[in-house]
Amino acid sequence: MLVVSRFRVPVEDGESFRADLAAAHEVLAACAGFVEGRVGRNVDDPELWVLTTRWDSVGAYRRALSSYDVKLHAIPLLSRALDEPSAYEVVEPGTVLNVASSRSIG
C-alpha cells in the first residue's frame, strides 16, 4: 500500500516544515508494517512538499495511525496535508485491483 500526503507550505516556513516532516517520517518508520518512505519537494513549485510511505498492508497503516507516538508526533503534521485521497494500492503485473463498492456498516 502507498500513502501520498502532499502539503502546501509557504517558502519562508520551508525549513521548519522540513524538520517537522522528517520527524513525522521517523516516527512512522518505527511502526510495524512500514516498508519505506520518502520526503520530497516539488522541483517547479517550492511550496509543494510530499511525504510518501509504503506499508505491508492497509491494516498495518491503520494500526500505525492509531499508535500513541504517531498521534503525538505525526498526526498534527499529517492533518495539514492537502484535502485529497492519499491511500493507493500498489499495481504490479498480476495484481487483483480493489473494486469500488458500497460498504455495509451493520
Side-chain angles (χ1 to χ4, degrees):
M1 172 188 177
L2 300 172
V3 179
V4 179
S5 302
R6 298 184 326 134
F7 306 86
R8 178 135 330 257
V9 180
V11 172
E12 60 271 13
D13 297 335
E15 284 307 310
S16 63
F17 181 78
R18 181 181 185 177
D20 293 344
L21 199 54
H25 177 257
E26 185 177 328
V27 74
L28 288 166
C31 294
F34 179 88
V35 176
E36 68 178 340
R38 302 239 189 248
V39 171
R41 190 175 78 163
N42 188 281
V43 295
D44 296 317
D45 182 352
E47 291 189 344
L48 192 57
W49 291 77
V50 67
L51 172 64
T52 61
T53 54
R54 200 168 122 221
W55 299 85
D56 285 337
S57 65
V58 172
Y61 176 61
R62 290 181 178 161
R63 283 187 295 278
L65 291 180
S66 67
S67 79
Y68 176 78
D69 285 340
V70 170
K71 286 181 181 177
L72 187 63
H73 300 291
I75 297 297
L77 178 111
L78 294 174
S79 69
R80 296 174 53 190
L82 297 177
D83 186 14
E84 61 187 20
S86 62
Y88 296 84
E89 60 187 319
V90 176
V91 178
E92 296 173 338
T95 301
V96 176
L97 299 178
N98 186 36
V99 177
S101 64
S102 299
R103 302 188 196 272
S104 171
I105 59 171

